[in-house]
Each structure stands twice: as C-alpha cells, then as structure tokens.
Amino acid sequence: MIVDLRSDTVTRPSQEMRAAMMSAEVGDDVYSDDPTVNSLEDRVAKLFGKEAAIFTPSGSLANQLAIRTLVKPGEELICESNSHIVRAELGAGATFSGITTRTWSANRGMLAADEALELARPDSGPYLVSTTAIAVENTHNFGGGTVQPIDEIKRLASTANSMGVKLHLDGARIWNAHVASKVSLLEYGKYFETVSVCLSKGLGAPIGSLMISTKERVTTARVWRKRYGAGMRQVGILAAAGHFALDRNIERLEDDHARAKKLAIACNSIVASTVNPAEIETNIVGLDLTGSSWNAGEFAVKAKESGVWVGALGPKYVRLVTHLDVDDAGIEKASAVLKDLLERAFMSK
Ligand SMILES: *Cc1c(COP(=O)(O)O)cnc(C)c1O
C-alpha cells in the first residue's frame, strides 16, 4: 500500500465520478453552449452569493483572472508573504498583468487585518505605487491549512472598503475552511469582490477551478481567459466532475481533518517540536524538522522507501496532506512510518 500525502491534488476520480463525467451533456463552451459548464458556473456563483463565475483549468488561472480585473498595470496587490499568489504562480501577476506586489508575513499565514492594512496606500498620487487590492488565502496552504478568523476578515473588509481597496479571496481550499469553521460559503463570499475556488483539491475532481465575481468582471475575465489560450470546448465532461464533487465531497472533508489531526498527534508524540496538534484545523500538517540531522528532502526519500509519500517544501519543512484517497488504514500505516522516521531523524544526531 502506498500512502500519498504529498497533496490533496493527487486524488483520482472515483468510478461514480467517471460515470457522471461520461453521461454529461456537453456543447462548445467557447460559444457558452455547454449546459454542464453553464450550470456549474451558476451554481458556484450562487453558493457564494455572487452574480457570475467562470470555469478555468487551474486555480492559478482563476487567481490570475481575478487579479487581472482588480489591479491595473503598475498598481499594487498586497498579499501574505507565503501565499500561493506570490510564491507558487511563478510571477504571473507581474508577467501577465504588469502589477506589483508587496507582502506582509504572518505566523502560519494567519490573517491579522491590521498587518495587511498597514501596508495599504490607495491613491498614492504620481510618486508612489497605489494599492488597489489585497488578497487573502483561506485556508492558508503553506501556513499549514490555517483557517482565517472570520472577525479579522470582517475587520479587513470594512476598512478596505472605506479606503476603496478591493479584496480577493484565494479560496482554493475554502471548502475546508467552511467545514472546519462552520462559516457559510455565502458569508465568506460577502467580504470579497472576487473569489477563486478549486474543485481539484480536497473535492477530488480531476481538474477545474472557478473565478467568481460580478457579471461585469466575469465578462472581462472571459475575454482574458480566451486570450490566455484557455477557452475550452466540450468541457462539460470536466464540469460534471465538479458537480459531482460539490454534491458528494464537501461534508466528508471532516474525515480528512480528523485524519490530519491523528497524523499530527502521532508525530508530536515522538518529537513535540515538529507540530502542535492543536493548530491542525484542516487537512494539512506541516512538520518542522528543525533540530533533526536530516533535511526535508532526505526525510521524504526515506518515507517513500517505506511507502509513504510526503512533500519536502522547505529545507526543514515537510508537508502532509490528507484527502479522499487516504483512509484510516492509510493513516495508521503513515503514522507508524513517520514515528519511526522521526525517532531516527532526531536521535541519530
Ligand atoms: C492549489 C492552489 C491554487 C491553485 O493551484 P493550481 O495548481 O493552479 O490549480 C491556488 N491557491 C492555493 C492556496 C492553492 O493551494
């Protein structure tokens, strides 16, 4: 048995999901003729209380389309320093939209509204860069699946709104935040001008994300999606997987969260400094190997030899992600392997 904890993107579509894809009604989506895509876009827009949504092949593209409509060339987007938009989209905002970014740093990526607002300088005149938007990532991926406190989101939104600064939500894992916090998707949607969501992470679809906003912004985004070469044709077969994922795979994220907590408890029981189980709110466990004689890469190689695949995301940072394709037996196996490795990594000094 291989237990793949590198990411929640590694899930493979179930037989039932494949059946839903096979029977999807389709049309040419570049002509807006694909009924399954249209209904998915409608459905997801309504989930967040918005007018419209646009289906994209990746979450990065959904983020980039949102940024494109919010921030003009030479203007500024403010992000947390470990956010996906600034660390994992390969400079797309600068490359495609000509925008600049500044960042604030937050422990575990946890939002404190004041830290973001301190940087914001809208309408800076002819000598300094003007801030036009702030991005919030929920849950925060590299922060370890951190759920953003709703009170901080509210505070950020109310001040940003009074400054005329727009908010973008990178909600690749907003489903996990929703299940963990019990805050509704509608409530999350209220505070943001644009939202991106992924169907291909914990929800288990093979591909697919959406950018959600006003009709006007989504219409603009359609032009840019086509310009970027991501106009898609009979893509209802993929949208059908998205519908299936929304029908079946949101509430079950609780299981992933409980399993992540188990992994954290197991690792913490061997070396307490690697992870604090109380901080594990969703499906991501970051392991801090500081103080061990192995780096994250070596740890990942040894784990793989024992059939457990983990992500080495920093010199001493290992990431474990639970998902649809890891069951309780997988967690037991992974716990045993990780405990053994941690013992060796920290004792062999
Ligand atoms: C995965 C992810 C994305 C989008 O990733 P794609 O691989 O482009 O689909 C965006 N933001 C966050 C926080 C993510 O984890």
Side-chain angles (χ1 to χ4, degrees), residues 61-84:
L61 184 58
N63 276 337
Q64 290 304 320
L65 291 175
I67 290 168
R68 175 99 241 172
T69 75
L70 293 173
V71 189
K72 294 202 201 88
E75 294 178 348
E76 176 180 76
L77 172 75
I78 292 178
C79 306
E80 200 282 322
S81 61
N82 272 319
S83 63
H84 195 277

Side-chain angles (χ1 to χ4, degrees), residues 7-9 56-63 82-85 88-89 137-142 170-173 196-201 208-209 284 319:
S7 176
D8 46 10
T9 56
T56 61
S58 73
S60 298
L61 184 58
N63 276 337
N82 272 319
S83 63
H84 195 277
I85 288 176
E89 296 179 14
E137 187 170 308
N138 197 13
T139 65
H140 197 295
N141 177 0
F142 296 136
D170 179 351
R173 294 189 182 80
S196 62
V197 300
C198 288
L199 304 167
S200 55
K201 304 262 165 96
S209 293
I284 300 177
R319 189 182 68 171

Side-chain angles (χ1 to χ4, degrees), residues 1-2 294 298-309 333 337 341 344:
M1 169 174 49
I2 286 172
W294 300 353
E298 292 169 303
F299 190 94
V301 167
K302 292 193 166 90
K304 191 167 184 179
E305 283 165 9
S306 304
V308 176
W309 296 10
K333 166 166 178 173
V337 167
L341 287 177
R344 289 162 53 199

Side-chain angles (χ1 to χ4, degrees), residues 162-196:
S162 67
M163 296 169 111
V165 170
K166 302 282 191 233
L167 297 189
H168 169 66
L169 170 62
D170 179 351
R173 294 189 182 80
I174 193 65
W175 324 104
N176 298 82
H178 157 64
V179 165
S181 68
K182 311 269 193 283
V183 172
S184 70
L185 298 171
L186 266 182
E187 171 78 2
Y188 281 129
K190 269 205 290 200
Y191 303 104
F192 297 91
E193 176 72 15
T194 54
V195 179
S196 62

Side-chain angles (χ1 to χ4, degrees), residues 17-18 47 54 92 98 137 175 179 184 198 206 211 230 232 240 292-293 295 310:
M17 182 181 276
R18 288 169 197 242
L47 283 178
I54 176 171
E137 187 170 308
W175 324 104
V179 165
S184 70
C198 288
M211 193 283 271
M232 300 176 287
S292 97
S293 48
N295 63 35
V310 303

